[in-house]
Amino acid sequence: MGKSIGLLELKSIPVGVETADAVLKAANVELLTASPTCPGKYVIILSGAVGAVKSAMESGQQVAGIHLVGHHIINNVHESVPSAIVGTSDVTKTAAIGMIETMTALSAVQAGDMAAKAANVSLMEIRIARGLGGKGFVLLTGEISSVRSAIQSAMHQLAETGDITSSCVIPSPHPGLIEKLSN
């Protein structure tokens, strides 16, 4: 049985906290993050076995009700996604870095998963809407061809939604840049 993550975005912070409590009580899942984001929304990301995440998400959607902005489940999520969401990835040396900016927190997580599955890259961070006006971004690293391939794949897969705003690939980034991006 694979590991899944569930993502809920709400337009009410109090209902968001109540929903986070409900998803944890509904099934044996781990809360990766539950926090207010810009602009006045609340994002919940949980992880666990496929069935547990599905059950918790159903409960969360019921509690959120009319305050639910978006939700998504990623089954068989790439193993690097949870640590990139919580900012515990450790990357110090790289041939290239790539970045994808998205319109929403949920699409940033989707883009990170797609990119990590598409090529041999390491996710450095998936930032979800904190201080970004509701946007998100994915920061990844690897060999330049892998970084390009990963970004192209995520952009292609999310092209229909219009959720990707921009991207870049930087070959041979300056060590000072990597140091600041890793903090």
Side-chain angles (χ1 to χ4, degrees):
M1 188 184 303
K3 192 167 190 171
S4 293
I5 59 173
L7 307 101
L8 295 159
E9 186 173 13
L10 294 88
K11 58 184 173 185
S12 166
I13 295 167
V15 176
V17 172
E18 180 182 24
T19 302
D21 181 62
V23 299
L24 289 169
K25 290 176 178 174
N28 183 20
V29 293
E30 175 188 358
L31 193 60
L32 295 177
T33 189
S35 63
T37 61
C38 297
K41 293 183 181 176
Y42 198 84
V43 171
I44 301 164
I45 303 177
L46 53 109
S47 176
V50 172
V53 168
K54 182 179 179 197
S55 177
M57 289 289 289
E58 289 170 359
S59 178
Q61 290 172 53
Q62 288 178 353
V63 173
I66 63 168
H67 300 283
L68 186 66
V69 174
H71 61 92
H72 190 74
I73 295 175
I74 301 174
N75 290 323
N76 301 313
V77 68
H78 191 274
E79 64 198 26
S80 64
V81 170
S83 61
I85 291 170
V86 297
T88 59
S89 299
D90 184 31
V91 178
T92 55
K93 186 176 179 185
T94 182
I97 58 172
M99 188 171 232
I100 302 169
E101 182 182 52
T102 64
M103 290 299 295
T104 68
L106 302 183
S107 57
V109 177
Q110 289 175 295
D113 182 62
M114 291 170 184
K117 287 176 178 172
N120 185 21
V121 295
S122 298
L123 295 177
M124 294 174 70
E125 180 179 10
I126 298 175
R127 175 82 54 90
I128 51 168
R130 290 181 298 271
L132 301 172
K135 292 183 176 183
F137 70 78
V138 178
L139 183 61
L140 54 94
T141 184
E143 295 299 320
I144 190 164
S145 60
S146 296
V147 170
R148 282 193 175 124
S149 178
I151 287 179
Q152 287 173 352
S153 179
M155 291 182 66
H156 176 73
Q157 290 180 63
L158 291 173
E160 288 182 25
T161 65
D163 279 336
I164 293 182
T165 61
S166 61
S167 68
C168 72
V169 175
I170 302 172
S172 303
H174 189 279
L177 178 62
I178 295 297
E179 178 185 329
K180 294 301 180 189
L181 291 174
S182 297
N183 293 334

